[in-house]
Amino acid sequence: MDAPVAGETLGFEGWRFDMRAGDLLRQDPEGGWTPVAIGTRARDILALLLQRPGALVSKDAIMGAVWPNVAVEPNNLTVQIAALRRTLDEGRAGGSCIETVPGRGYRFIPRVTHQSETQAEPPPAPVAESKALPARVRRLPSRPRLWSVAGSCAVAMAALLAVAVWQGGWRTGQPAPPRLSLVVLPFQNLSGDAKDDYLADGVTDDLTTELSHIPD
């Protein structure tokens, strides 16, 4: 496909990405579009891969575009690719939508299409007017129903407060423990043959990707 222009919206496998705003949206079963949050680095990598679907994008090209004039460890790219896969591969049959070419780079597998302006999110369906009452008149809930709703809200708020107290450590005055993180350091090629460096890179990439799929 032709290289997309700035401001264009691209679509692939139930996803939509706004190249200008950097917004990623996923289509829900009802046909609507729900925003999905991703990091700024992952967003820049996705934009670069979407501009060259099916083509190999080298690691150096990605690093130069996403971290311009900044010296970063190559493992940062592996972590961001794993985060993208964790989001885009959820519920996807088959392999990952981002293919790893060991020692060289990455390739975006799904077919990417240009989304026209007319394919924007459809407006909400009009609300049917009540036949029993005029269009500007709305029947108010009865007093017992109002009290029932208010009581339900109060119970829900109390339950949420109890959970916050329990998990936040307010009862004991101690802060909640931080979430644990797992870091995969780059593997080293100990064979002495530089031609085998791609094997170490592939092990690091695959291990990071598999661990990222573990819940919590």
Side-chain angles (χ1 to χ4, degrees):
M1 61 173 289
D2 298 333
V5 296
E8 184 178 8
T9 299
L10 303 178
F12 60 95
E13 293 187 350
W15 293 89
R16 181 178 290 176
F17 185 77
D18 189 330
M19 296 291 292
R20 178 175 57 187
D23 294 333
L24 178 65
L25 302 99
R26 184 172 191 175
Q27 191 171 26
D28 54 42
E30 289 74 25
W33 295 91
T34 303
V36 177
I38 56 175
T40 55
R41 302 298 185 185
R43 178 194 63 196
D44 294 342
I45 294 174
L46 178 60
L48 184 61
L49 293 176
L50 289 177
Q51 294 180 69
R52 301 173 60 183
L56 174 65
V57 184
S58 68
K59 292 183 177 181
D60 291 340
I62 299 176
M63 297 283 286
V66 178
W67 291 276
N69 303 320
V70 178
V72 297
E73 291 291 333
N75 197 44
N76 286 297
L77 175 57
T78 303
V79 171
Q80 297 300 328
I81 291 291
L84 269 178
R85 285 171 170 159
R86 187 166 57 248
T87 298
L88 301 179
D89 293 346
E90 182 180 358
R92 186 177 191 268
S96 174
C97 62
I98 301 177
E99 177 188 9
T100 300
V101 181
R104 299 180 62 189
Y106 301 93
R107 180 183 290 113
F108 194 76
I109 301 301
R111 179 176 178 268
V112 178
T113 59
H114 297 252
Q115 303 292 305
S116 64
E117 295 297 332
T118 58
Q119 292 177 306
E121 184 175 354
V127 179
E129 298 292 346
S130 172
K131 296 182 179 180
L133 296 176
R136 296 182 179 273
V137 179
R138 294 292 180 269
R139 190 188 305 275
L140 296 177
S142 62
R143 186 176 299 273
R145 182 181 177 186
L146 288 175
W147 282 110
S148 176
V149 172
S152 299
C153 292
V155 172
M157 292 176 63
L160 290 175
L161 181 59
V163 171
V165 170
W166 179 265
Q167 295 188 354
W170 297 351
R171 179 177 298 178
T172 60
Q174 299 295 328
R179 293 188 59 183
L180 299 180
S181 299
L182 188 62
V183 178
V184 179
L185 299 179
F187 280 71
Q188 294 183 352
N189 175 22
L190 302 181
S191 67
D193 190 347
K195 293 188 299 182
D196 293 334
D197 286 345
Y198 76 94
L199 293 175
D201 294 339
V203 171
T204 304
D205 191 17
D206 291 343
L207 184 57
T208 302
T209 301
E210 293 300 326
L211 290 175
S212 69
H213 291 162
I214 299 177
D216 300 327

